[in-house]
Amino acid sequence: MSVLETYRNLYRLDGKVALVAGGAGGIGTAICEGLAAFGATVLVCGRTRAKAESVAASICAQGGKAVGVALDILDLQRTRTLVDETANQFGRLDILVNCVGTHKEAPALEYREEDWDRVLDLNLKSAFFLSQAVARAQVRHGGGGKHIHISSVRSLLGLRRGYVSYCSSKGGLNLLIKQLATEWAPYGITVNGIAPTFTRTDLVKDYLEDPSFYNPLVARIPLGRICEPIDLAAMAVYLAAPASDFITGQIIFADGGLTATQ
């Protein structure tokens, strides 16, 4: 093998198997496409089977390898079963990407317990037990693995609105990433996070079409634009590939320089 081929192989995912939770969403779809583009077989997990299968079918139509499945991330037993079935079917499970997240805005003085519990359950509790299930499979099969969680700039910065549960859950996720990276390093498992600023998806289309919202938002970002899903897909490919084998326990802020100014 030539030296140049050695470097090219650092970004190849041929033969790897990836599970993407939240893979049918705007960010998740881009990440699934990116991983498949570099050779990974992708299990697209969505809240509804139809949406997950649609994403997978699109990837396959373009020459990639993907399967769509339904997954309720709050059903811990189903999560464990799906992880085990995937690892057994393919004989390996190399990559986990967790794009699951939710938010409920309300003033901290009025925040309801049931809303707090739902946001923390989806954004933090499910992240741990999903990672735990995948890590157990990776330890059994050997060979290490890659875990990537989508965090947020709001894991580091507060907001002058009712983001108490969201900021708390994402801040907790950042430290969870560091803890798991520390514990699982002896098994060759790396755990990292990507923390984007406001990202363009269909869910926020109305906000972005409102100049009174969009213009002040972009004015705070040194690079002068918001995050695009492909920005996050590119980072996920890097963190999933051999190129990042010595990177673990890190939160990479994909924010156009926003946190550098605050």
Side-chain angles (χ1 to χ4, degrees):
M1 183 185 297
S2 71
V3 172
L4 296 186
E5 187 65 15
T6 298
Y7 281 103
R8 283 191 285 267
N9 286 341
L10 290 175
Y11 292 90
R12 288 179 176 150
L13 297 173
D14 303 272
K16 303 292 187 182
V17 177
L19 186 155
V20 182
I27 293 172
T29 295
I31 290 175
C32 289
E33 292 169 343
L35 296 174
F38 283 83
T41 297
V42 182
L43 190 71
V44 182
C45 301
R47 283 181 295 177
T48 64
R49 183 180 297 276
K51 286 188 67 175
E53 288 181 342
S54 176
V55 173
S58 175
I59 290 171
C60 292
Q62 298 174 75
K65 293 175 285 188
V67 179
V69 298
L71 176 62
D72 176 1
I73 202 70
L74 294 179
D75 185 340
L76 300 185
Q77 187 53 54
R78 169 58 182 155
T79 298
R80 295 181 182 115
T81 299
L82 177 64
V83 167
D84 289 342
E85 288 174 348
T86 302
N88 292 335
Q89 177 182 350
F90 294 99
R92 60 193 302 152
L93 180 50
D94 306 280
I95 301 157
L96 165 67
V97 184
N98 169 33
C99 304
V100 175
T102 193
H103 169 51
K104 175 67 175 180
E105 183 173 342
L109 286 174
E110 302 168 11
Y111 215 86
R112 301 186 306 173
E113 181 180 3
E114 56 266 36
D115 293 331
W116 173 273
D117 288 346
R118 176 165 176 78
V119 173
L120 269 290
D121 283 351
L122 272 167
N123 292 2
L124 186 57
K125 179 180 177 180
S126 70
F128 169 62
F129 285 105
L130 175 61
S131 253
Q132 181 194 63
V134 173
R136 285 173 172 172
Q138 289 169 336
V139 170
R140 286 197 305 271
H141 287 265
K146 305 271 191 166
H147 293 218
I148 304 159
H149 295 274
I150 304 301
S151 183
S152 167
V153 293
R154 294 302 158 191
S155 64
L156 183 66
L157 303 172
L159 195 64
R160 298 177 185 180
R161 325 196 327 230
Y163 270 58
V164 62
S165 63
Y166 186 83
C167 293
S168 298
S169 65
K170 293 298 186 178
L173 179 61
N174 285 7
L175 197 53
L176 174 67
I177 287 164
K178 293 177 181 293
Q179 178 63 29
L180 298 183
T182 304
E183 285 199 44
W184 295 344
Y187 302 107
I189 298 170
T190 65
V191 188
N192 292 290
I194 304 172
T197 186
F198 209 90
T199 303
R200 188 186 308 277
T201 65
D202 287 342
L203 289 176
V204 296
K205 183 174 181 291
D206 290 342
Y207 287 105
L208 299 181
E209 291 177 348
D210 179 359
S212 66
F213 177 88
Y214 180 80
N215 293 336
L217 171 68
V218 171
R220 296 196 301 271
I221 300 174
L223 285 181
R225 66 174 178 87
I226 62 170
C227 185
E228 301 288 345
I230 198 170
D231 295 318
L232 305 182
M235 183 58 63
V237 169
Y238 167 69
L239 290 174
S244 64
D245 279 354
F246 200 55
I247 308 297
T248 196
Q250 301 305 303
I251 314 299
I252 301 175
F253 286 84
D255 64 359
L258 175 65
T259 53
T261 69
Q262 313 221 1

